Amino acid sequence: MNKKVFLLFLLLTPLIVIVSSTLAFRFGFGPEATKNNGIFFNEFTDITGMGISSTKNYELNFEDGKWVMGIYHSNEGRTLENSRLMKQLNVALNRDINRVKRIIFFEAKPEESFIKNIENDFPRQEIFIDAESGFKDLLLNISEESVISSSYIFIIDPYGRLVMYFPNDLTPKKMLKDLKVLI
């Protein structure tokens, strides 16, 4: 009799755990806050097919399965500073360095000299033009205005969906922690 009760206990324990955790999830019980340092965008948004093209005349696509770490250019000083930070974060990702591509988005095509400086100082960083300002308008609608005005670093997943952005006052260590969790 003792063995039957023990076996019944062993069989029912996993079922009780699964049922109770499923019910807790369904009724909204869960952690109160997240551990993310970055800020998630307000809405789920897909940026594929927005007509964003590179300076080399090819469309932005996500067929390579890479995450995008990007900034939207608003002032040259902040853009260069955050480009350096993106390069450092990419190097700090270590073995995951090839899972992320770095992009600067411009509203209009920048001067050739600026493009050459970016290409020389930040190899593997791509430049894309948002000629119709559709991406800029989208960023303004779903986030703070400072994402554009302060050239915040933002993250796009491998399917072309905006995920989160990092305010400029956030330490690189905290940004790297979020990136490692995402990737």
Side-chain angles (χ1 to χ4, degrees):
M1 181 72 176
N2 255 350
K3 289 183 181 182
K4 289 182 181 180
V5 171
F6 182 71
L7 285 174
L8 184 62
F9 175 74
L10 282 178
L11 289 173
L12 290 179
T13 302
L15 292 173
I16 292 170
V17 170
I18 291 171
V19 168
S20 62
S21 62
T22 302
L23 289 173
F25 179 74
R26 293 273 184 208
F27 290 113
F29 295 106
E32 293 297 317
T34 63
K35 302 284 184 197
N36 300 315
N37 299 301
I39 301 166
F40 285 104
F41 284 101
N42 296 335
E43 298 176 19
F44 167 81
T45 309
D46 188 358
I47 67 162
T48 56
M50 292 193 89
I52 301 169
S53 60
S54 82
T55 54
K56 296 175 175 73
N57 292 325
Y58 60 87
E59 292 286 316
L60 177 63
N61 67 42
F62 295 92
E63 294 171 6
D64 56 2
K66 291 186 178 185
W67 289 78
V68 171
M69 190 173 7
I71 52 178
Y72 202 99
H73 171 76
S74 63
N75 86 32
E76 194 169 321
R78 183 53 79 180
T79 297
L80 292 175
E81 185 179 323
N82 281 344
S83 292
R84 280 186 200 89
L85 180 57
M86 285 194 316
K87 182 179 178 182
Q88 291 170 351
L89 288 169
N90 200 14
V91 169
L93 283 171
N94 229 354
R95 63 184 172 154
D96 292 326
I97 192 170
N98 293 319
R99 295 184 68 194
V100 177
K101 60 183 171 184
R102 297 171 289 140
I103 296 178
I104 302 176
F105 295 92
F106 287 88
E107 194 166 3
K109 187 171 183 176
E111 297 177 15
E112 273 310 306
S113 61
F114 189 71
I115 292 174
K116 292 290 182 201
N117 287 341
I118 293 290
E119 289 173 347
N120 290 336
D121 293 344
F122 309 106
R124 294 185 48 222
Q125 186 154 318
E126 301 174 37
I127 297 174
F128 281 86
I129 312 301
D130 180 26
E132 299 168 6
S133 298
F135 185 48
K136 179 180 181 180
D137 294 340
L138 177 72
L139 283 172
L140 290 172
N141 286 337
I142 65 170
S143 64
E144 303 172 9
E145 191 270 331
S146 54
V147 171
I148 302 275
S149 65
S150 297
S151 296
Y152 285 178
I153 296 173
F154 53 85
I155 306 298
I156 303 171
D157 75 5
Y159 303 105
R161 298 176 297 216
L162 288 163
V163 177
M164 74 172 26
Y165 60 94
F166 301 111
N168 290 328
D169 60 351
L170 193 62
T171 64
K173 200 176 234 184
K174 289 182 178 180
M175 289 181 194
L176 184 62
K177 189 177 178 183
D178 276 1
L179 284 172
K180 284 184 177 183
V181 170
L182 284 173
I183 301 172

